[in-house]
Amino acid sequence: MAKGAGLPMFDPTVFDNLKVAIENQVYDLDTIAGQVLVTHRIDRMELAVMARIFAIQFTLVNGAGITAEIRLEASLKDIAAEVLEQSGEKPGCTLRLRFYMPVQDANETCKAIEQQLEALWQPELPPTQTVSFGYGEQPVIYNNEIELHFNRKINEDQMEDLPELIDHMLQSLEALDKLV
């Protein structure tokens, strides 16, 4: 009998399947299409709360340096519901979409950002913009972290929506580039 025979095979979770799908599509835009440059990647297990986090950041190759981030999160409750096959629970992940960009005139530019992203995404909630700056910097250039909120979890049922989601991210980067 072969070593390891009879052991159960690892069954990937919803989180794992979505992570791989997102990662593959973004890396294809980087290595094959040459449209984006992947600048950062996180694949973390948060042991303090037993959660999984995956994030991939990228910029347009010919863009103004604005960074987009797709972030996938699964809590202990989400993971346990799936692994333990808890009845009545529908496993899923939280999806967060973020953009990071410099802003000179926060009042004017942030309003334009909100209008552009609401027109492209029609989110359930308006985008949240967190503006900060480095003390003593002259001239003052604000750092703007923009997050789009979705009031529901995603799972493998939304796998076919991922190309459209990533295309919307690219459109968003192009629209935000025009505001820099």
Side-chain angles (χ1 to χ4, degrees):
M1 185 173 208
K3 187 176 182 177
L7 295 176
M9 188 175 126
F10 170 74
D11 188 18
T13 62
V14 169
F15 177 90
D16 293 310
N17 290 331
L18 289 170
K19 177 189 91 155
V20 168
I22 291 168
E23 201 170 32
N24 287 343
Q25 290 181 35
V26 172
Y27 275 115
D28 283 352
L29 289 172
D30 180 331
T31 58
I32 297 172
Q35 288 180 272
V36 304
L37 176 64
V38 173
T39 58
H40 192 60
R41 182 181 170 281
I42 297 167
D43 192 352
R44 180 179 302 145
M45 174 69 159
E46 285 294 333
L47 295 176
V49 292
M50 298 304 289
R52 296 278 311 267
I53 298 170
F54 168 76
I56 189 162
Q57 294 181 349
F58 54 94
T59 63
L60 291 174
V61 168
N62 296 317
I66 297 169
T67 300
E69 177 182 274
I70 301 173
R71 187 177 195 90
L72 199 59
E73 300 173 0
S75 69
L76 174 61
K77 182 178 177 185
D78 297 323
I79 296 166
E82 180 175 6
V83 173
L84 300 175
E85 299 176 2
Q86 296 174 339
S87 65
E89 295 291 327
K90 186 157 174 110
C93 301
T94 300
L95 177 69
R96 299 184 192 282
L97 304 180
R98 294 183 178 152
F99 299 91
Y100 303 91
M101 66 183 286
V103 172
Q104 289 183 340
D105 181 350
N107 288 327
E108 184 178 314
T109 308
C110 289
K111 180 133 184 84
I113 289 167
E114 183 177 71
Q115 291 169 344
Q116 288 286 329
L117 293 179
E118 284 181 347
L120 280 168
W121 290 92
Q122 301 172 354
E124 295 148 9
L125 298 170
T128 300
Q129 298 185 62
T130 305
V131 180
S132 63
F133 66 95
Y135 174 75
E137 286 184 11
Q138 293 298 326
V140 174
I141 303 292
Y142 298 97
N143 301 307
N144 191 3
E145 178 182 316
I146 306 139
E147 184 171 324
L148 293 168
H149 301 273
F150 303 94
N151 286 333
R152 63 182 175 90
K153 296 191 184 267
I154 66 167
N155 57 38
E156 285 120 333
D157 295 342
Q158 286 77 42
M159 194 80 75
E160 292 177 5
D161 298 336
L162 291 178
E164 186 177 346
L165 176 118
I166 293 169
D167 185 55
H168 268 69
M169 295 283 294
L170 297 176
Q171 291 175 35
S172 299
L173 282 171
E174 290 167 359
L176 294 174
D177 268 354
K178 294 174 184 170
L179 301 175
V180 176

